[in-house]
Amino acid sequence: MTEALTHTTAATSGDNTAVSAATVEPELTSPETAVPQSPQDVEAAVHAIADRSRHAARRMSRANRAWKDRGLRAIGAALLEQKRLILAANAKDVAAGKANGTSAAMLDRLTLTNARITGLVDALENLANLPDPVGNVVRGQTLPNGLRLRQVNVPMGVVAAIYEARPNVTVDIAGLALKSGNAVILRGGTAAAATNEALVQVLRDALDSVGLPADAVQTVDQYGREGANALMRARGRVDVLIPRGGRDLIQSVVLNAAVPVIETGEGNVHIFIDESASEDMAVEILLNAKTQRPSVCNTVETLLVHSRSTVLPAVAAALRGAGVTLHADERIRAALPSSIESTPASDEDWATEYMDLDLAVAMVDSLDDAVRHIRTWSTGHTEAILTNDLANAERFIAEVDSAAVIVNASTRFTDGGELGLGAEVGISTQKLHARGPMGLTELTTTKWIVQGEGQVRG
């Protein structure tokens, strides 16, 4: 049986696109196939895309959970069905990246594999199994005058995302936006242009196949950098813009956007090994946090070791054995056995998000020194402490001001999927609205509903 786009209205014609007759809106026309050349033409084209997204967002806001979940599963099935086409497009992007001298870390982010596509499908299934955030009551009460109040989660509306060389983000953001009742406009960058073009078409066709608006997923990639600029200036048409990528991209969006922005930060991530941490745990966690996938933002970039800890030689040997270059301060270099190679560290190393098999290493004399170093150099993403001292763990949690603080586990767990959010749009390092992994709830805002029986204000 086909569900209507609203919980309370019945289908009017028996097909998947039925909505309440009172809320039917005319379809907007599709964009011209020719790519505009002038900035003014590009801006007009992007505005037209945003207007169609607004129209699609209104329809998505009325979609019930069953319909949205069916859309997510249709996308998952289509990704598997079109896997050969997607991988062929991705191979073109990867080949172009290699020819252009793209770094190994960026190539890793750019590359899709059978396993990674399967992971995207699994994430979509996880999203479908999660509760629908729309309509969730945040709080409510009945006032003394009899007014009944509810604050409920509602979709943002039009969510835009600017990112680079991360085709997995195309699917993750689209899935999260759809489940939370939004429409999404994507700018995935030149490096992944062929892959994103294939993915967006698969997404749109899948939505259309179940009667959801294809325009709930659109892209401005065809308009290049000027398209991204126009998207950033589309105030009143875009409700929120989320940049995801390196420091230069994020800062460009934050400094130049006229639309509201949720800042996702680079990950200059720290692990502090205090004097009580066990060697086996320290070795296992550091190897995982640095080498499992070094090109992502939750990879550790700086290791702080307490001067009375005894685990440094074992940890350093394991990291070097895994191919990690150690950028160490003078005290660490003096404490390392001569067989373990390292390079001198500078202030630039403490500030660097390597996103590769490099690690800055410093020695500290206390928890206070570790926290002081983190406060100086951290980007506010994720910090971890390895300790068997409960008091030290509690102090670290209280005094470190980052989006995620971890005790005795890998920093790689700062991830929407790993934390049970299904997927994530990014890791927000700001403090307004959303902080940390941004899942479904973070793509909603709230609405106050006030119900009365004729009350007037005295």
Side-chain angles (χ1 to χ4, degrees), residues 303 305 312 328-337 342 361-364:
L303 171 63
V305 183
L312 176 62
D329 69 4
E330 291 183 5
R331 297 178 68 190
I332 290 290
R333 285 168 60 81
L336 287 174
S342 65
V361 190
M363 186 173 287
V364 293

Side-chain angles (χ1 to χ4, degrees), residues 98-450:
K98 290 178 179 177
N100 293 333
T102 302
S103 69
M106 290 296 284
L107 284 174
D108 177 64
R109 289 185 169 197
L110 177 61
T111 302
L112 289 180
T113 63
N114 284 314
R116 288 182 180 179
I117 290 177
T118 300
L120 292 173
V121 175
D122 291 342
L124 290 168
E125 180 62 29
N126 288 338
L127 277 177
N129 291 327
L130 289 175
D132 189 341
V134 177
N136 175 60
V137 178
V138 178
R139 54 181 165 170
Q141 61 176 314
T142 299
L143 298 180
N145 63 5
L147 287 177
R148 300 185 303 280
L149 306 184
R150 283 178 296 147
Q151 185 185 24
V152 300
N153 290 119
V154 296
M156 283 279 189
V158 177
V159 176
I162 296 178
Y163 50 102
E164 54 188 359
R166 304 170 187 227
N168 64 296
V169 172
T170 299
V171 179
D172 285 344
I173 291 182
L176 285 162
L178 296 171
K179 176 79 177 195
S180 52
N182 297 290
V184 65
I185 304 174
L186 305 169
R187 161 61 176 162
T190 304
T195 312
N196 286 331
E197 182 180 5
L199 287 171
V200 169
Q201 191 59 56
V202 169
L203 293 168
R204 288 172 59 85
D205 289 347
L207 292 176
D208 187 62
S209 74
V210 297
L212 289 171
D215 283 341
V217 178
Q218 296 188 84
T219 178
V220 297
D221 276 345
Q222 63 270 38
Y223 305 125
R225 183 171 296 179
E226 189 55 45
N229 291 335
L231 191 62
M232 288 190 280
R233 295 191 298 264
R235 190 170 185 88
R237 288 179 163 90
V238 171
D239 293 297
V240 64
L241 173 60
I242 302 167
R244 183 168 174 178
R247 177 177 177 81
D248 289 346
L249 180 148
I250 292 169
Q251 290 305 307
S252 175
V253 172
V254 170
L255 295 175
N256 294 301
V259 302
V261 173
I262 295 179
E263 182 174 356
T264 61
E266 58 186 311
N268 191 7
V269 172
H270 297 74
I271 292 180
F272 169 49
I273 301 177
D274 90 344
E275 60 183 310
S276 68
S278 68
E279 180 178 298
D280 288 346
M281 181 175 68
V283 168
E284 186 171 5
I285 288 176
L286 261 298
L287 281 175
N288 181 264
K290 182 72 255 185
T291 69
Q292 188 203 38
R293 195 175 177 193
S295 65
V296 294
C297 64
N298 55 21
T299 294
V300 63
E301 303 291 15
T302 297
L303 171 63
L304 305 174
V305 183
H306 196 290
S307 56
R308 290 194 293 274
S309 171
T310 60
V311 309
L312 176 62
V315 169
L319 289 167
R320 286 295 300 135
V324 177
T325 298
L326 304 177
H327 304 257
D329 69 4
E330 291 183 5
R331 297 178 68 190
I332 290 290
R333 285 168 60 81
L336 287 174
S338 58
S339 59
I340 299 178
E341 183 182 359
S342 65
T343 61
S346 65
D347 281 356
E348 183 179 354
D349 290 294
W350 312 133
T352 298
E353 183 186 20
Y354 297 108
M355 308 189 88
D356 210 339
L357 289 175
D358 293 83
L359 182 68
V361 190
M363 186 173 287
V364 293
D365 292 319
S366 65
L367 175 62
D368 288 332
D369 288 346
V371 171
R372 190 175 301 112
H373 183 107
I374 291 169
R375 286 176 176 168
T376 301
W377 301 106
S378 171
T379 55
H381 189 293
T382 300
E383 328 299 344
I385 183 173
L386 309 186
T387 182
N388 284 315
D389 186 317
L390 179 60
N392 281 352
E394 291 178 342
R395 275 195 59 205
F396 191 84
I397 291 170
E399 296 180 21
V400 170
D401 185 21
S402 290
V405 179
I406 296 176
V407 177
N408 293 337
S410 172
T411 58
R412 292 281 287 116
F413 284 106
T414 306
D415 174 87
E418 293 295 324
L419 297 183
L421 304 179
E424 68 185 36
V425 176
I427 309 294
S428 170
T429 54
Q430 65 175 32
K431 296 185 180 182
L432 298 178
H433 173 64
R435 195 180 193 196
M438 295 175 58
L440 292 171
T441 301
E442 286 71 29
L443 288 184
T444 65
T445 183
T446 62
K447 175 188 293 185
W448 282 97
I449 299 171
V450 182

Side-chain angles (χ1 to χ4, degrees), residues 69-79 124 202 206-207 209-210:
D69 290 348
R70 189 162 66 243
L72 294 173
R73 293 188 171 107
I75 292 171
L79 289 173
L124 290 168
V202 169
L207 292 176
S209 74
V210 297

